[in-house]
Amino acid sequence: MVKAYAQEHVYKHPWERVTSASWRKFADPENKRTLSHILEVDTLNHKLDPQAGKLYTTRALTIHTPGPWFIRKIVGQDICHCVESTVVDARSRSMQLATHNISLQKFIEVEEKISYNPHPNNPSAWTVCRQETSIKIKPLSALASMAEKVEQRCAEKFMQNSVKGREVMERICKYLEADSSGIGL
């Protein structure tokens, strides 16, 4: 069984500001409360290809395990380790993120893809964010009958966290906008 969903959100901010906010999302201390499920973020490597105008980054994320409490009891872990790969193409003004879990894979597989691109109707002022997430609970004898419900609960939690992430991004974008105008918040 696989639970998949897609979302789209338009930021009424230019691509440069939104992608800058994306890099700051986990680092800003004000966001710790809102994004409390993110425990740690470490940059594993980054590479700049000046000829292609691309930045490649890999980060490790430690996340409080999503889903119902009884699943955490069964798997014996409260945290999940994930890898996020990002490609920023300055020439085409695109930012692509792909995240997947590397721990708990015998129980659950989660893959998330996010893209930030200039909005086709207003490319200089707006940015469209597309997010696709798939959640697959692996059949376990104890969970086989409730895998679909668990996937649904996990998907609901991911969607709630996506809303929190967008709120943080909007706040950072407004801060960056005020900062670029010389107005302190």
Side-chain angles (χ1 to χ4, degrees):
M1 309 215 76
V2 175
K3 180 70 178 173
Y5 69 93
Q7 306 183 81
E8 187 171 291
H9 178 75
V10 175
Y11 291 99
K12 304 260 172 116
H13 300 280
W15 179 83
E16 292 80 6
R17 185 176 302 141
V18 172
T19 55
S20 181
S22 177
W23 289 115
R24 296 173 187 217
K25 180 167 69 171
F26 300 131
D28 189 339
E30 283 188 49
N31 301 334
K32 293 287 187 196
R33 195 174 326 113
T34 305
L35 301 175
S36 60
H37 62 289
I38 306 292
L39 304 176
E40 193 169 336
V41 178
D42 296 302
T43 300
L44 301 176
N45 63 49
H46 59 276
K47 176 186 163 193
L48 180 61
D49 182 346
Q51 271 78 31
K54 293 183 179 181
L55 171 66
Y56 301 89
T57 304
T58 305
R59 299 194 296 183
L61 286 76
T62 303
I63 301 170
H64 186 265
T65 307
W69 64 270
F70 61 88
I71 297 298
R72 293 192 297 269
K73 288 291 187 191
I74 292 169
V75 300
Q77 280 184 251
D78 281 354
I79 61 170
C80 181
H81 299 285
C82 300
V83 172
E84 174 193 85
S85 300
T86 305
V87 179
V88 179
D89 186 335
R91 291 187 182 142
S92 68
R93 297 176 70 211
S94 74
M95 181 176 189
Q96 310 292 322
L97 297 92
T99 307
H100 67 278
N101 63 303
I102 56 172
S103 65
L104 304 176
Q105 287 184 337
K106 65 182 180 180
F107 302 107
I108 185 171
E109 289 180 356
V110 178
E111 184 176 26
E112 178 182 55
K113 294 179 181 180
I114 299 174
S115 66
Y116 297 101
N117 295 291
H119 193 283
N121 296 338
N122 195 348
S124 62
W126 295 355
T127 304
V128 62
C129 171
R130 291 185 180 92
Q131 177 187 17
E132 298 174 11
T133 304
S134 68
I135 302 163
K136 180 181 180 182
I137 300 292
K138 302 240 180 132
L140 304 168
S141 59
L143 297 177
S145 65
M146 46 173 150
E148 189 174 338
K149 290 179 184 178
V150 171
E151 287 170 346
Q152 181 62 37
R153 292 276 305 270
C154 289
E156 289 168 2
K157 190 67 169 170
F158 272 88
M159 287 191 281
Q160 290 169 1
N161 288 338
S162 294
V163 170
K164 291 177 185 179
R166 286 192 299 272
E167 289 170 2
V168 166
M169 291 282 291
E170 286 288 354
R171 189 180 58 72
I172 294 172
C173 284
K174 288 177 182 169
Y175 168 80
L176 292 170
E177 180 180 30
D179 192 46
S180 69
S181 301
I183 304 167
L185 288 180

